[in-house]
Structures are given as structure tokens and as C-alpha cells.
Amino acid sequence: MTTDLTTRSGPEGTAARRTSADLLRRVEDRLRSFLSAERQEWAEVNERAVVAIDALSELTASGGKRIRPAFCIAGYLAAGGDPDDPGIVEAAAALEMLHISALIHDDVLDDSDTRRGLPTVHAKHTALHADRGWQGESRRFGEGVALLVGDLALVYSGELMSRAPRTALAEWNKLRSEVMIGQYMDVAAAAEFSVDPELSRWIALIKSGRYTIHRPLVVGASAAGHRELAAAFTEYGEAVGEAFQLRDDLLDAFGDSADTGKPAGLDFTQHKMTLLLGWAMQRDAHIHRLITEPGHTPDEVRRRLVDTGVPDDVEQHIAGLVERGCKAIADAPVPQAWRDELTAMAHRVAYRKA
Amino acid sequence: MTTDLTTRSGPEGTAARRTSADLLRRVEDRLRSFLSAERQEWAEVNERAVVAIDALSELTASGGKRIRPAFCIAGYLAAGGDPDDPGIVEAAAALEMLHISALIHDDVLDDSDTRRGLPTVHAKHTALHADRGWQGESRRFGEGVALLVGDLALVYSGELMSRAPRTALAEWNKLRSEVMIGQYMDVAAAAEFSVDPELSRWIALIKSGRYTIHRPLVVGASAAGHRELAAAFTEYGEAVGEAFQLRDDLLDAFGDSADTGKPAGLDFTQHKMTLLLGWAMQRDAHIHRLITEPGHTPDEVRRRLVDTGVPDDVEQHIAGLVERGCKAIADAPVPQAWRDELTAMAHRVAYRKA
């Protein structure tokens, strides 16, 4: 399906995709050059200082789908932004650096050991502390290092964004505070073990959908001076964002952990009330029991989800969301090539494999 | 001494102090109005979301010396900045909000239970989790909430600064990344139990002196469009900053915990290599042993410090630093009233009681 859509738009579509791919490459270069300049500056001051920066470089180089930079660039180009303005590269790089910060802190919150097949920052430094027999508690050290390295990435993201067009700042500020509040809500709901599908849906929406798709698009459109596209991008982004999050939950529950790079079914054991689980618990008392009462394994939950047809229902819902998103963009005042490209992007995030 | 200095400069000095005090009041108002607007916005969305914002409001309202806003405003006014430009209020409020973030995260790193006489964010939420019998580990929940609340303050500080004059951004960016790297170095040096007075001095310099005095001054001067004052402010700030840090160490080691609002001697037990301890360990093998070998109490260390005359020597060193700082400002191209005021401020931070 994706192939059809991406080839439909002819030469303009090809040009749009090329410009976008070129900007994404410049974002990669910018992330690298930014971190390497910081490293060089600090290495001259004190060689130990570079450990914090190297942790960010490793995570940046370890992969990642760069979804947020891609949507930011799409929003910018769809709004007619000048691809030669270096400000958009700074904005897109800032979104990725913010995400790196969020991943590092998130891994502490979830106590995850691996990320993209590598040890997480806190796991690595906890082990280092234990190996070396350093003073104090290894866990506090490892988590403390991850806290500070994540803070550094958060600060660097702000520094990158300070070189982006000022018109993008309002949306950027909203995006950042919203994701922190959303994260807090997620942690609180998991602890209280709230079984409130509406709350789960809302948390998923602000924490993941808006943060990943809708706001990056609007950051891009605002950087191009066309904040009025926010309405269409919001409609598109909220629908596609929910599809993205549901796919995430499906991959987490049923995916191969070699593909996602993190242990499968983690959200079950961490009692994270995902969109998928909220939905399943609401319609099936047995699922509710399996999750809320102790002694049940993720496998039991997984089997019951399959037996009651949840994955198929979710697939159907995802298809509806993608349709809604594409409809919103079909009516938006953007060039046809960008309507097509955003339609293709909706399919890519909703039907991704990892 | 302070009284003489602050009255010496006559009517101009009085006017300078009045303008500065007025701006500091506006910073308080801004912090309050910013947080209350955020609270109102989030309360309409979801009532639980306000917990994270309320944690920031409580910490902001619980006191604090506002040293960084004061130096930022002093740098701005000394450089001839317009006191009616709201941008300087945003910049000074941003520095305080950044500090609030640093305090919350620092309390996790140090596992401190109280701050300004109140439970720290992580201690409060750890206890809440345990009391309510919520899911998961209480410590991870409490520290996770503090991590996110600190992140939110860090994001809010950037939002405030985005409304300050753009000329202040370079110094602001430097200040933020430097304090994170300095914090990392501090945590690493404490874990490795590095007994390297040069390293301790350097960490104290970048983590505290520059962050507290020199860079806030330069943020202010840059906001006023006079970055060329950086040279004099750097000389002043590094000397007065070191005096500030040594006073901090003295208060921590010998002060009354009712005044500082945190448990006395914490830095001993956390094995933080303060400027004071680095110095004492270097000149006295017995101190070195008391600190590095297990089984010794802060009281033993404290007694030995007193017996070997360390506090008096440090007092003498502080006096020299204050003199050096005041000399740097005496030659700076700023109005006499501001030379006098900065001289008075140097004495206030170097000889503060808590």
C-alpha cells in the first residue's frame, strides 16, 4: 500500500521526498557535529567530562527511526519552508535530542536494561560502579549518571532549538511541557493501577501521539511561518498518533524483541496501562483479572488477548485512524505532493514492523 | 562591613538598589504567575496533572536566596539595561527555575530527605507511594516523580528564557550545559573517591561559582547588549564564586542545620569531595585517613578540621577572594553605584549565615 502512495504523486512527489531525505541527512550530520564540537571543547578542559557527551553520541549513533525530525521536516516543507534555511535542521535535531533525553530518563523510570540492543545508560553505569567497587550505592550512581546525561540532552535540545526560527518556539514549549506532564501522568496512573481507558487514551495521546506526530508537524509549519496549518495537522496528527501508539502497544505485546530492541511485553510487567491493555481490560473481565491479580504471566495475558480477538479489533481501529488522518490532510491547503507524502507517512508509522 | 559599602554610594546607590529590588519582586511575581497559568491550563485538562506543577510552586514558595536572579539583574543594570524591559524579568526567572530543577535532581542524587525544612520531592512521593500501597517500588516511584518534576522545571526555565533578549542565549546555553557536566563530574569524583584538590576546585568552580555568580552576571550584561563586560564579570565572578562555595562548605560542615535547612555534614557522609575537604585532606594525612577509612564520624572530621586551624585558613582565603573580586569590579566600565553594589553583594554572599 505504501508503495502505491509514494509513487502516485509523480515528479513533484519524488522531489518532495528527495528534499526531505536530504534534510534528514543534514539533521544526522548536525547531531553528530554538535556533539563532537561539545566533546572537543570539554576534552580540552577535562578528559573525564566527555563521558556524559559520549553517552549521548552512542545513543544517537545506535539507530532510532527519527520519526519526530521526519514529521517536523514534512510540516515545514508542506508549509512551503525554504529547505536551505539551516534553522529547520536545528529544529529537527532539537526534537531528536529531546527524544534522546526522554529515552534515557524513561529507561530509569521503567528500569529497562537494554535499548536498541545496547545497555541503557543507567544499567551501564550501575554495572561500571559495581565492577570498580566505587563508593556508595551502584544503583544510585548509575541512575544519577543517567539523570544527568538525560538533563544534558534536554539542555542541548534547547540549545539546538535556540538557533531555529523563533516562530517555532511556542509549539516547541508546548510540546516539551506536555510530554513531561504526560510522563508524570503515566507513572502516576501505573502506580495507582488506574483502570480507566479514557485516562489511558488521553495519556497515550499527549505523551506519544502529540509528541511524536502532531506537534513536530506544527513545529515545522510554524518554523515556516504557517502556524495556521495547525488545525489540519492537529486532526491528522492526533489520529495518526493514536495509530502509532496502538502499533507500539501491539509490537510491545506481540512483537519480536529482536526487532524492537527491548524486552517483549515489558509494559505488562511494569503495569503500564497502555491503550491496548486499557481497551482489553474494559471489555473483558478475565483480562482485567489476569493483569490486576498477582501470579499471572505476560504469556497468559497475551494468549487471552489473541483468543478474544483484540489484535484484529485493534488492527481495524488503526485502519480507521489512518483513514481519518489521511482525510484531514486531503483537505489541507498544502501542495498535492505533500498530501501524498503525509498519507504515505501515516501508513508507514501505522504499519511499521519495529 | 556590608552596611558601610551599601551606604557609601549615595543617592545613585540607593536608586540602583531600589531598581534591583523592584526587579527581584517582579521575578517573584513572574515565577508565581507562570506556574499559576500552567496550573490553570492543566487543571482544565486533567486534575491529576497539576501535582507536578504544584511541586514546583511549593519549592518556589519555600524560600531560597534568589542569588542567581540577583546577579543576573545586577549584571543587566550595571551594563545599562532598561529596567522596564520585561525580558530581563524572564531571564532572571529562568535562572531561578533552572535552579529549582537542579535542586530537585540534586536531592535525588544525594538522597536528601529535606530541603528548606520540607520533604524533598522524591522523599515526599516515595512516602506517598508506600502509604497508599501503590503498585511497584516506592523508591522508583518517588525518584521517578522527582526526575519528571525536575525535567518539567528545566523545560519551564527554557520557556521563560525564550522570552528574554536573544543576546543572552549564548551565555545561557553555556551555563546550562556546564552545570550538567559539572554535576556529572561531581558524582563521578565522589564515586571514585578522587582525592584531587585541583579537580575538587575545578568542579566547585564550574558547578557552583560560575553557575551562581559569573554566568548569571554575564547573562544579564548580554541581555543588556554588553557582552564585553564578560571579562571583568568573569574575574569578579570566579573569585566571588569560589568564596561563595567555600562559605557553603563551611556552613555545611560547621553550620547549624536549622539555618541551612538541610542536615549538617551531609557532604561528609555522601563522600562529596568539597573544596574544603580537598584542601584539608591535602595538607593533613590524618584528615585523609578519617575520611577515606570506614568507621569515622563527621564529628571526628569536624574536630580535626578545627584543631588544625582549617576554618581560620579558609576564612583568610575567602577574604582574599573577596578582595580580588572587588578589585576586578573596581576597574570595570560600569557606573560607580554598581561597582559599590557589586562590592556589597560580594560581601553578602561570602559572609552569609545560611
Side-chain angles (χ1 to χ4, degrees), chain B residues 126-203:
Chain B
T126 300
L128 185 71
H129 186 280
D131 282 354
R132 304 277 170 93
W134 284 337
Q135 293 273 341
E137 188 201 27
S138 296
R139 170 177 167 181
R140 189 161 304 281
F141 177 80
E143 294 183 3
V145 170
L147 191 157
L148 293 168
V149 170
D151 283 355
L152 184 65
L154 190 49
V155 158
Y156 282 161
S157 77
E159 185 165 344
L160 286 160
M161 191 57 86
S162 72
R163 298 196 189 94
R166 274 185 86 81
T167 47
L169 282 180
E171 192 70 13
W172 165 248
N173 285 332
K174 189 77 205 158
L175 179 155
R176 288 192 300 173
S177 53
E178 191 175 67
V179 74
M180 297 311 169
I181 300 257
Q183 288 271 63
Y184 163 74
M185 297 286 288
D186 199 24
V187 165
E192 296 178 37
F193 209 61
S194 154
V195 188
D196 175 349
E198 262 318 294
L199 181 66
S200 307
R201 198 176 163 277
W202 183 77
I203 291 172

Side-chain angles (χ1 to χ4, degrees), chain B residues 13 38 66 91 100 166 179 217 220 226 228 295 352:
Chain B
E38 278 290 313
R66 311 295 196 244
I100 286 167
R166 274 185 86 81
V179 74
L217 275 170
H226 288 284
E228 75 282 3
R352 71 191 198 281

Side-chain angles (χ1 to χ4, degrees), chain B residues 57-309:
Chain B
S57 297
E58 277 165 33
L59 196 51
T60 308
S62 72
K65 294 177 286 287
R66 311 295 196 244
I67 296 182
R68 293 149 200 91
F71 276 105
C72 174
I73 286 168
Y76 179 78
L77 294 174
D82 173 7
D84 293 325
D85 182 340
I88 187 59
V89 175
E90 303 283 334
L95 285 167
E96 189 62 20
M97 192 64 88
L98 173 68
H99 188 55
I100 286 167
S101 169
L103 293 179
I104 294 168
H105 283 178
D106 218 24
D107 286 337
V108 173
L109 298 174
D110 291 344
D111 195 19
S112 300
D113 287 334
T114 57
R115 163 76 62 188
R116 298 176 185 164
L118 296 173
T120 53
V121 176
H122 75 278
K124 179 177 170 172
H125 288 270
T126 300
L128 185 71
H129 186 280
D131 282 354
R132 304 277 170 93
W134 284 337
Q135 293 273 341
E137 188 201 27
S138 296
R139 170 177 167 181
R140 189 161 304 281
F141 177 80
E143 294 183 3
V145 170
L147 191 157
L148 293 168
V149 170
D151 283 355
L152 184 65
L154 190 49
V155 158
Y156 282 161
S157 77
E159 185 165 344
L160 286 160
M161 191 57 86
S162 72
R163 298 196 189 94
R166 274 185 86 81
T167 47
L169 282 180
E171 192 70 13
W172 165 248
N173 285 332
K174 189 77 205 158
L175 179 155
R176 288 192 300 173
S177 53
E178 191 175 67
V179 74
M180 297 311 169
I181 300 257
Q183 288 271 63
Y184 163 74
M185 297 286 288
D186 199 24
V187 165
E192 296 178 37
F193 209 61
S194 154
V195 188
D196 175 349
E198 262 318 294
L199 181 66
S200 307
R201 198 176 163 277
W202 183 77
I203 291 172
L205 200 74
I206 75 162
K207 202 191 104 160
S208 179
R210 286 198 199 164
Y211 163 67
T212 303
I213 298 179
H214 146 204
R215 298 217 185 268
L217 275 170
V218 181
V219 165
S222 307
H226 288 284
R227 215 186 174 289
E228 75 282 3
L229 283 173
F233 282 168
T234 300
E235 172 77 12
Y236 169 90
E238 300 224 330
V240 179
E242 190 177 338
F244 169 82
Q245 185 56 47
L246 283 169
R247 177 63 56 202
D248 215 47
D249 292 350
L250 284 175
L251 288 168
D252 187 59
F254 304 104
D256 180 343
S257 76
D259 284 344
T260 59
K262 52 186 179 181
L266 181 75
D267 283 357
F268 288 119
T269 51
Q270 289 283 337
H271 300 285
K272 281 286 171 79
M273 200 35 49
T274 62
L275 214 46
L276 176 68
L277 287 189
W279 189 354
M281 286 168 83
Q282 196 186 21
R283 66 180 223 173
D284 181 358
H286 186 62
I287 288 274
H288 190 288
R289 225 165 24 246
L290 287 177
I291 292 174
T292 51
E293 289 171 7
H296 299 287
T297 64
D299 269 336
E300 285 176 80
V301 177
R302 205 174 283 125
R303 260 198 307 277
R304 179 75 187 186
L305 288 173
V306 173
D307 291 348
T308 56

